[in-house]
Amino acid sequence: MKALVLTEIEKMEVQDIKEPKPLPKEVKIQMKYVGICGTDKHLYQGLPGSATATPPIVLGHENSGIVVEAGHLVDSLKVGDRVTIDPNIPCLHCRYCHEGRIHLCENLEAAGVTRNGGMEEFVTVPERCVYKIPDTLSYKAAAMTEPVSCVVHGFQELEIKQHYKTLVIGDGFVGQLFISLLKARNVGEIYVSGHNEKKIPLLKEIGADVVFDPEKEQLNETFDVIIECVGRPNTQEQAIQMAARGGQILMFGVGDPKTEIQVNAYDIYFKELIIKGAFINPHVMEDAISILDHQVINVEKLITHELTLEEVEAVLSGENQEKITKAVVKISE
Ligand SMILES: [Zn+2]
Ligand SMILES: [Zn+2]
């Protein structure tokens, strides 16, 4: 079968590899769509995602497909089921798993990170990571269940009230998902900071009230909720600086593990700031599927590019310098 293999750091190759065989509690899925995400760029460069990827490995943790074979101990899925995959596989026996905080698992495995993911024709994954999708949900949209689930988890970390003034830092795909969720909660004022003027009509259509470019205009406002979706030191520092008293700051953007930022500790005390992280997607896959199926987020509209496996490396390496907000790869009809 055809697979895009990360053969070494910063090197990929489309190869003909052996089809995987499902273990007794695994299913084999024919891939339909796989999303490409910022984490894939990090993994390609040898930086960690939810874990570290060791080549040779097939990336792809945003997946949809159809079950084509089930191991003999699988009972919740059958051949022909349309599905999406939660790529994260907690061990279920460490101290975090025992208390239900499975995303903090000390032995976390992940499809597309520590084991082969969806950038190949067939993938095998444990039954418990596989979720059936409604017939009304397209495979293309269903491939976005994982990123949407991560955003839902981040959203759940915040206390959101309708009268709160909110700021989303970053106008990329993840920022757009957060804007859509804030809008769905009827939050009164949604500000978005970004640099790409061309995106403004779409951002307003999905719910932004004010879009501004912090490099061009200084905004003298503070916010009750700030969601940082970029992951760079300047935007992370800006997120804390722009918080109102009692403000909540969600650090969602994934930065370089070695990066540090400057924080005014007195502000944390005096403003009683709440600074939170959000890591992956515990217990929210079903919510994400429902959100996509009911078009609370119209995700197909946010996908800007559909690629082939052959085109992926140029995007991950940066050789393709097109402005790609969100790309998916079509693996099969
Ligand atoms: Zn991702
Ligand atoms: Zn665990």
Side-chain angles (χ1 to χ4, degrees):
M1 67 167 184
K2 189 169 160 182
L4 178 63
V5 183
L6 180 70
T7 51
E8 54 189 280
I9 299 308
E10 302 198 324
K11 195 170 183 320
M12 283 179 141
E13 210 178 289
V14 175
Q15 293 181 348
D16 186 18
I17 65 170
K18 210 164 152 271
E19 281 187 29
K21 195 81 191 127
L23 295 173
K25 286 287 274 175
E26 288 184 348
V27 289
K28 176 176 169 184
I29 295 167
Q30 181 187 22
M31 291 298 307
K32 296 291 184 181
Y33 277 95
V34 55
I36 299 180
C37 123
T39 300
D40 293 316
K41 281 187 192 165
H42 294 162
L43 296 172
Y44 178 80
Q45 294 165 357
L47 296 168
S50 58
T52 303
T54 309
I57 190 128
V58 175
L59 302 184
H61 58 273
E62 305 178 353
N63 301 311
S64 66
I66 184 166
V67 175
V68 291
E69 190 181 339
H72 72 274
L73 293 178
V74 169
D75 49 26
S76 68
L77 295 159
K78 60 180 189 319
V79 172
D81 282 342
R82 304 170 75 249
V83 295
T84 184
I85 302 167
D86 181 354
N88 298 301
I89 308 166
C91 75
L92 303 182
H93 57 71
C94 73
R95 78 179 178 102
Y96 291 107
C97 285
H98 275 170
E99 58 177 25
R101 297 196 286 171
I102 53 173
H103 55 307
L104 303 180
C105 173
E106 290 170 336
N107 312 298
L108 192 71
E109 297 276 328
V113 185
T114 63
R115 55 186 277 160
N116 282 357
M119 292 189 192
E120 58 184 353
E121 281 180 274
F122 298 96
V123 69
T124 51
V125 279
E127 172 186 22
R128 64 183 158 88
C129 304
V130 179
Y131 291 73
K132 284 188 237 182
I133 55 170
D135 290 340
T136 42
L137 184 61
S138 72
Y139 282 120
K140 191 168 170 179
M144 299 295 99
T145 310
E146 189 272 346
V148 168
S149 69
C150 292
V151 165
V152 170
H153 171 57
F155 206 74
Q156 287 178 348
E157 297 283 284
L158 299 165
E159 191 198 357
I160 305 277
K161 293 188 177 174
Q162 271 83 357
H163 72 277
Y164 278 177
K165 208 159 155 177
T166 62
L167 169 63
V168 175
I169 298 180
D171 58 8
F173 180 66
V174 166
Q176 293 169 7
L177 298 180
F178 274 112
I179 296 165
S180 306
L181 286 186
L182 288 166
K183 188 66 185 172
R185 280 285 197 91
N186 295 313
V187 171
E189 280 188 280
I190 305 170
Y191 283 62
V192 179
S193 88
H195 299 304
N196 189 343
E197 273 176 36
K198 287 194 191 122
K199 288 185 184 170
I200 294 175
L202 174 68
L203 297 172
K204 294 219 160 160
E205 190 188 324
I206 61 175
D209 296 297
V210 178
V211 183
F212 70 100
D213 184 340
E215 276 174 13
K216 293 191 186 134
E217 53 183 312
Q218 193 66 38
L219 206 64
N220 273 330
E221 310 263 359
T222 57
F223 297 88
D224 303 300
V225 168
I226 299 172
I227 303 171
E228 203 283 338
C229 307
V230 180
R232 296 210 185 96
N234 61 329
T235 47
Q236 290 169 332
E237 287 174 2
Q238 183 192 33
I240 297 169
Q241 286 155 7
M242 293 185 87
R245 291 191 80 178
Q248 305 165 59
I249 299 125
L250 182 68
M251 292 294 187
F252 195 88
V254 183
D256 186 306
K258 293 193 191 77
T259 300
E260 291 179 2
I261 60 168
Q262 288 222 329
V263 181
N264 182 324
Y266 180 82
D267 272 356
I268 299 176
Y269 152 73
F270 182 69
K271 294 185 177 176
E272 215 174 66
L273 299 182
I274 300 164
I275 302 172
K276 287 196 163 181
F279 183 68
I280 64 172
N281 58 346
H283 314 298
V284 283
M285 285 290 285
E286 298 282 6
D287 283 334
I289 291 167
S290 173
I291 282 168
L292 289 169
D293 189 37
H294 294 99
Q295 305 220 351
V296 175
I297 297 172
N298 187 348
V299 82
E300 291 206 40
K301 193 186 233 164
L302 308 181
I303 296 170
T304 53
H305 291 71
E306 190 170 313
L307 309 174
T308 62
L309 275 181
E310 287 77 5
E311 293 170 316
V312 171
E313 184 171 16
V315 172
L316 297 184
S317 68
E319 186 192 317
N320 178 343
Q321 294 186 345
E322 246 182 294
K323 282 260 174 257
I324 294 179
T325 301
K326 186 67 187 179
V328 293
V329 183
K330 188 174 188 172
I331 306 287
S332 67
E333 281 302 330

